[in-house]
Structures are given as C-alpha cells and as structure tokens.
Amino acid sequence: MAKGRGRSSRTQGKSSGRPGNASPRETWRIIGQKINPLDFRLGTTQSHHSLWFAQPKKYSEGLREDKKIRDSVKNYVQKNRRLSSGVEGIARIEIQKRLDLIQVIIYMGFPKLLIEDRPRKLVELQMNVQKELNCMNRKLNIAIIRIGNPYGHPNILTEFIARQLKNRVSFRKAMKKAIELTEQADSKGIQIQIVGRIDGKEIARVEWIREGRVPLQTIGAKIECCSYRVRPIYGVLGIKIWIFIDEE
C-alpha cells in the first residue's frame, strides 16, 4: 500500500536530490504519492462496496459491469426525483454478485424522492438496469434502505453544496450551511474544500473550511470522503468533503 510520504534513496555520483537517474517528472511521480482515505482504511473501519469474485481475465469486465449498474441507478433516480428536491439522496450503492444473482443495495437518505409508488418504481428501475447490463442468465434484485442522518454522509452533502452553487449562492454561505447540517448529524469533524473559478473569478483558487477534528493520518478513525464535480454557468468546480464520524 502506498504511503503519503516521499521515498529516500541514495544517488550515484553528484547529489541531485533525485532517486538514481530519474528525470524531474519521474521524481515528481515518486514524491507526490496520494491515497484515498477510504482505501487507506480498508479492513479496519471501511468495507468494500462491491463483493464478488472473478478470474483475472474477466476482472475488468466485472468493473465495467459495476459502473453500468451505478450509473444506471443514479440516472434513474435523477430523472424520477421530485423537482423540488435539491439532492438525489444516494449515500452509497453496494453490489454483491453470485453465479446466478446480482444483489444491488441502495442506501438513500430521502427514499420518498424516488419511491412514491414503491412496487412500480422498483420494477421499472430493475428493468432499466437489466436492459443496461443485458444479463439473461442471472437474476437481478434491487433493495432500497433508508439511512438515518442523511447529511452526515459526504455524498449527500456534496450534492447539497453543488445545488447551492448552481443557484448562485455564495460559496462561504453554502459551506457554513453544510457544516450546520453536519453538526445536526452528530459528526465529530468536517472539512470542505472547493476548487476552481469560485464566484466566476478569472483565476482559479482553493477555498476550504474545517470544523472539529479530521485526523486523516489515523487509521482507526472512521472517515467518510467524497469528491464531486459541479458545472455552474462560469465553469467547473470541484467539491471535496471529509467527515470524521468516530474513532475506534
């Protein structure tokens, strides 16, 4: 597993600050190692969102299948949500595959946005996913689980901030409102970062705010992380949120 620190190595001849005969670009790749906070904690406080087994030659096919399932579910929820709602409300999508069954579990904070007529909507969603996958030999089962404290999940919170930015709300006001919603969810800390042409300025910059503790280097700390891209009228903005939930 890669670490977030640069590696030290001996150089031959003159000391140039580079490992061996590496070029400046290769040196940058070695030093600038980053890792996803969720991947960093797999096996401790985080679990996999996809559970299945495949032979090496079919592994890429399984990854593409997972992406099709998630994209199909998100597109369907986005098309069928209420117009008054500001977010899709999907916290995460878990996929479990067997030889004859594909189990999809959708964790939502606001399931009423999708399932006003639950049986009909679920059947329609299932048909859309099956059509996208074109799987005739395996049965597809979709379940929706409602989560408590939806604004304690970064996926839902980033959608909320993106909605505010699209409506031309000040980014500082949107970030402070997101922190207030997170405090209601009993989180121990949150960090929000927005990158891009904020408020339509010609020069891109980074703005961030933090409330409470966010121990990114502690493996025992349960941290939820999410990145989101929003397209307001003045350009593309990137939103990233870290939420510190608990510590083991």
Side-chain angles (χ1 to χ4, degrees):
M1 182 178 295
K3 298 181 180 179
R5 299 179 180 176
R7 299 176 182 174
S8 60
S9 62
R10 299 178 180 178
T11 58
Q12 298 178 356
K14 296 181 180 179
S15 175
S16 58
R18 304 173 188 168
N21 296 323
S23 64
R25 182 173 298 180
E26 292 174 347
T27 305
W28 174 258
R29 290 177 182 175
I30 294 174
I31 295 176
Q33 296 184 53
K34 304 294 186 296
I35 187 169
N36 190 297
L38 305 183
D39 299 339
F40 187 53
R41 292 168 174 82
L42 281 177
T44 55
T45 60
Q46 292 290 337
S47 59
H48 293 274
H49 292 174
S50 294
L51 297 175
W52 46 270
F53 175 81
Q55 296 295 334
K57 293 183 178 179
K58 296 184 178 180
Y59 182 76
S60 59
E61 181 180 347
L63 290 180
R64 287 192 295 267
E65 194 174 58
D66 286 0
K67 189 176 187 306
K68 287 182 180 179
I69 292 174
R70 290 190 169 92
D71 291 344
S72 180
V73 170
K74 290 180 180 179
N75 292 335
Y76 181 84
V77 173
Q78 188 175 11
K79 290 179 181 178
N80 291 273
R81 67 183 179 183
R82 296 176 182 175
L83 296 177
S84 59
S85 64
V87 297
E88 297 174 6
I90 299 178
R92 68 181 184 273
I93 300 174
E94 292 187 357
I95 301 173
Q96 301 175 7
K97 296 180 185 178
R98 302 177 184 174
L99 293 177
D100 57 347
L101 175 66
I102 299 178
Q103 176 75 27
V104 180
I105 304 175
I106 307 172
Y107 292 86
M108 298 189 68
F110 313 103
K112 291 184 178 180
L113 303 179
L114 171 64
I115 50 176
E116 293 180 352
D117 185 8
R118 180 172 183 140
R120 184 178 64 86
K121 292 289 186 180
L122 284 178
V123 171
E124 186 178 351
L125 173 60
Q126 186 170 332
M127 291 178 60
N128 288 348
V129 176
Q130 283 181 335
K131 184 179 179 181
E132 185 70 23
L133 292 179
N134 193 19
C135 59
M136 305 301 296
N137 300 328
R138 288 181 293 179
K139 181 181 178 181
L140 178 65
N141 186 17
I142 298 178
I144 296 178
I145 298 178
R146 180 171 185 171
I147 59 174
N149 299 325
Y151 288 110
H153 293 264
N155 292 321
I156 299 177
L157 205 60
T158 50
E159 293 177 10
F160 170 79
I161 296 177
R163 182 74 173 182
Q164 297 294 311
L165 295 176
K166 281 187 176 181
N167 292 336
R168 306 298 295 275
V169 177
S170 171
F171 74 94
R172 288 192 177 90
K173 185 176 181 181
M175 290 194 296
K176 290 180 180 179
K177 180 62 177 178
I179 290 177
E180 293 178 3
L181 294 174
T182 308
E183 290 175 350
Q184 297 175 6
D186 297 331
S187 298
K188 293 188 176 181
I190 179 175
Q191 180 174 330
I192 304 174
Q193 178 177 291
I194 302 178
V195 183
R197 294 182 54 192
I198 303 174
D199 290 338
K201 303 296 183 181
E202 293 186 1
I203 300 177
R205 68 183 192 275
V206 179
E207 295 287 347
W208 65 277
I209 186 172
R210 182 171 56 203
E211 186 73 20
R213 292 179 58 230
V214 186
L216 296 179
Q217 300 298 325
T218 305
I219 299 180
K222 187 175 182 181
I223 294 179
E224 297 287 345
C225 176
C226 175
S227 57
Y228 194 87
R229 182 171 60 183
V230 58
R231 293 180 177 271
I233 60 175
Y234 44 78
V236 180
L237 297 178
I239 306 171
K240 196 168 185 179
I241 293 181
W242 298 264
I243 297 180
F244 177 33
I245 299 176
D246 199 359
E247 187 171 3
E248 294 184 354

